[in-house]
Amino acid sequence: MVWTRAAREWPADVRLAAGQHPRLGIPAEASLPLPARRAFDVAAASLEASGAVLVPVDVSALYGAGNAPAARSLLAELDAVLLPTVGVLDATLNALDLAAVTVPGDRRPYGITVVTRAFEDQIGLDLASVLTGEQSPDPYPCESVDVVVFGAHLCGQPLHDELHGARFGGLVRTAERYRMVLLDGVTPPQPGVVSGSAGVDGERWRLSPAAFGRFAAGLAAPFVLGRVELEDGSTPLAVLCEPAAAAGGEGLDRYASWRGYLRFVSTGGPRFPG
């Protein structure tokens, strides 16, 4: 999809990533030349092995410029659709207000095209990078907010979805002036990070402006957003804890991270109540 700032403004709520298990539509039935069929099957299997959930769907709406409502409906419940490049027309996808990334095949024209909703080009690039083995470029749009998380918002933890399509920005560690405390009466179980004399491991996530607004508005007490100093000297926003809520809680400094404590619990340590 061709995009220019003069034509359309980038939406503030665009997703920057599809998560660990993107839902990927594939043609329910496809009559293809044998080389194209092989290329498509290999690509689909590679994406499934990387964590994608393959969903057979009717993709006929993506081959007609007049099917925009049907195309939007198709993508509404999916993160992307994988198509054999044979028969895919850029002009048609533009008319449907969709974005697409094409990965050329070893023998043209048998490549693979990843179709996404408008402005979710980065999701298409990420999926294409699984097929090429090349790292995709820095995500766009340029406007985004980085947030460091330490507990239940970590990848794979119960509250991770509250980051609303955030993009992983790497593992981080704080400067040696914080501490992690097990909070009482918080569901799901979570740590609170407050001032102290140790370092804490966490994850950096990049959110679109609108996603950050929703995340900040939904952050429940005793958690607050504040600046945290990382060991590299940077000071991004992070999910911290009100000091009063952490008073008297069990110190978790020796585990260095929430995941470290969870591993301890899973191998015979103390159990969470209830």
Side-chain angles (χ1 to χ4, degrees), residues 47-135:
L47 288 162
E48 186 174 33
S50 74
V53 178
L54 303 184
V55 183
V57 295
D58 179 2
V59 299
S60 59
L62 303 181
Y63 290 94
N67 295 332
R72 286 194 294 269
S73 177
L74 174 63
L75 268 297
E77 301 299 326
L78 299 169
D79 294 298
V81 173
L82 187 68
L83 296 175
T85 300
V86 177
V88 176
L89 299 177
D90 291 344
T92 298
L93 295 178
N94 277 322
L96 294 174
D97 197 24
L98 299 175
V101 178
T102 294
V103 179
D106 294 334
R107 288 185 290 176
R108 295 178 181 271
Y110 303 126
I112 304 299
T113 296
V114 182
V115 181
T116 65
R117 305 167 204 165
F119 298 103
E120 293 194 350
D121 308 60
Q122 188 60 51
I123 291 176
L125 289 169
D126 289 342
L127 292 169
S129 71
V130 175
L131 305 179
T132 63
E134 300 177 3
Q135 184 66 39

Side-chain angles (χ1 to χ4, degrees), residues 10-201:
W10 205 282
D13 61 348
V14 65
R15 296 186 305 160
L16 302 184
Q20 288 185 298
H21 302 289
R23 287 173 53 82
L24 185 58
I26 59 173
E29 296 182 7
S31 177
L32 300 171
L34 185 58
R37 179 79 261 175
R38 288 175 176 169
F40 184 83
D41 289 345
V42 168
S46 296
L47 288 162
E48 186 174 33
S50 74
V53 178
L54 303 184
V55 183
V57 295
D58 179 2
V59 299
S60 59
L62 303 181
Y63 290 94
N67 295 332
R72 286 194 294 269
S73 177
L74 174 63
L75 268 297
E77 301 299 326
L78 299 169
D79 294 298
V81 173
L82 187 68
L83 296 175
T85 300
V86 177
V88 176
L89 299 177
D90 291 344
T92 298
L93 295 178
N94 277 322
L96 294 174
D97 197 24
L98 299 175
V101 178
T102 294
V103 179
D106 294 334
R107 288 185 290 176
R108 295 178 181 271
Y110 303 126
I112 304 299
T113 296
V114 182
V115 181
T116 65
R117 305 167 204 165
F119 298 103
E120 293 194 350
D121 308 60
Q122 188 60 51
I123 291 176
L125 289 169
D126 289 342
L127 292 169
S129 71
V130 175
L131 305 179
T132 63
E134 300 177 3
Q135 184 66 39
S136 62
D138 290 337
Y140 51 86
C142 297
E143 292 187 30
S144 59
V145 182
D146 282 2
V147 176
V148 173
V149 298
F150 301 102
H153 293 101
L154 295 169
C155 183
Q157 293 300 303
L159 301 184
H160 180 68
D161 286 347
E162 293 184 1
L163 294 178
H164 304 292
R167 184 177 183 82
F168 183 60
L171 301 175
V172 298
R173 183 171 177 81
T174 70
E176 301 286 320
R177 60 186 191 87
Y178 298 91
R179 65 190 302 253
M180 186 171 58
V181 174
L182 183 62
L183 299 175
D184 293 328
V186 175
T187 303
Q190 294 192 62
V193 174
V194 294
S195 296
S197 58
V200 181
D201 294 335

